[in-house]
Structure formats: structure tokens, C-alpha cells
Amino acid sequence: MVSSNNRLFEVLEYIVDLVLLNFLFIICSLPLVTAYPAFVALVGAIKDMSEGNQIPAWKQFFKNFFTYLKKGIKIWLILVVISIIIIGDMMAVNYLPNSLQNFLLPFNIIVAFLFLGIFSHLTKLIIMGEYRIKVLFIRSYILLFRQPLKPLLIIFIYSIIISLSVYLRFVPFIIAFSFLAFTCYFIMFAKEHEINNS
């Protein structure tokens, strides 16, 4: 009975930490330029928390945030420019004739998948300690082709979380961003952590 109570308290403490990290992410993302470093810090804090690091989650978040801030802003600006080009291209396709739209639609889907896949692997590589921007993008691109299912799974789960957040309007402010970061951690790191421990 005592062990089950301890387990319940551990789960509740984990949920409270996720809610706290969610609010810290929102606050640190308010100047939109820092949104990506804040997300990497969030994933890193959840990784440390899940793997038994004794540092409080909020302290780990701020430690990660200031570690990743400079490079994270540069990477975020590159990602924003690329996403604007992709979105602009998708919008421009709508004004083309139907035959061209049908031809370019698969191309746009592939480009969007490549972008989201590289984004997923970038986050992992930054947390693992790679800080050179050019190397980050090249290794992310290579990892995307070695492990294409991980980003696909992340995109699928992100879509579910975002859809639920739209219908359950209060959820995004409570824990939705932490769920997104936990998904990224679980798919990108958790299995490797289990293999290393066994």
C-alpha cells in the first residue's frame, strides 16, 4: 500500500512539474524569437526529469534555456525563414490551375515532412551537445533518412494534441506544450535511454 501511494505521489509530482514547465515555456516564448530555445529547454528538462535527474525541473529548464539561447535563436530564425518560404509556396499553388496543383501537392507535402523531420532531429542533436549550426542541419538531414518513422510519429501525435487543444480550449494553457515536448522526448530519447540502462 505504501509503495502504491509513493508511486501515486511520484506521478502527481511529475504532472505538476509538467504544468510548471508548460508555464515557463509560455513565459520564455513571449518574445517570439526565443520560442525555439525555450522548446529545446523544455524537452531537455523533461528528459532530465524522466531520467531521474535530482535537479528541480524549473532549475533545469532555466539552465537549458540559457545554454541553448544563442544558438537556438539563430536556428529559429533560419527555421522561420524556411517555413515562410514553404507556406508562401503552398499558398501560391492555390492560384495555379488544377492540373499544376495536383502535380505540386505531393511535392509540398514532402517538403513539409522534410522540414518537420529536420526540426525534430535538430532538437535532439542540440540536447545531445552539438552546437555548430551547419553540422546540426546536415546531421539532422542524414538522421531523417536513417530514421524517418520517428518524425512521422511525432507529426501524427502533434496533430492529435493540437486538434484536442483546439476543442478543449483551456488545455493549451495548462499542459499542451509539455505534452508536445514529452512526445518529442519519448520518441527521440526514451528508447535509447532504456537500451543504455539495460
Side-chain angles (χ1 to χ4, degrees), residues 40 47 67-68 122-132 136 139 189:
V40 177
K47 176 184 180 292
T67 301
Y68 306 137
L122 271 175
T123 304
K124 177 182 180 179
L125 291 172
I126 291 172
I127 291 169
M128 290 176 65
E130 179 59 65
Y131 293 111
R132 291 169 295 166
L136 276 168
R139 287 188 65 198
F189 291 100

Side-chain angles (χ1 to χ4, degrees), residues 32-49:
L32 293 175
V33 170
T34 60
Y36 184 66
F39 183 74
V40 177
L42 180 60
V43 175
I46 288 173
K47 176 184 180 292
D48 292 332
M49 197 171 69

Side-chain angles (χ1 to χ4, degrees), residues 5 21 31 35 52 68 78 82 84 104 112 127-128 144 147 157 166 171 181 190 194:
N5 281 343
L21 288 172
Y68 306 137
I78 293 167
I82 293 169
I84 287 169
L104 290 174
I127 291 169
M128 290 176 65
L144 176 61
Q147 303 169 346
I157 295 172
V166 169
V171 173
E194 286 175 19

Side-chain angles (χ1 to χ4, degrees), residues 10 13-14 17 21 41-64 68 127 185 193 197:
E10 282 176 22
E13 184 180 357
Y14 194 84
D17 281 340
L21 288 172
L42 180 60
V43 175
I46 288 173
K47 176 184 180 292
D48 292 332
M49 197 171 69
S50 300
E51 294 175 0
N53 192 329
Q54 297 303 313
I55 299 173
W58 64 271
K59 246 184 201 178
Q60 191 63 45
F61 175 86
F62 283 118
K63 180 184 172 200
N64 292 343
Y68 306 137
I127 291 169
Y185 156 72
H193 178 66
N197 283 348

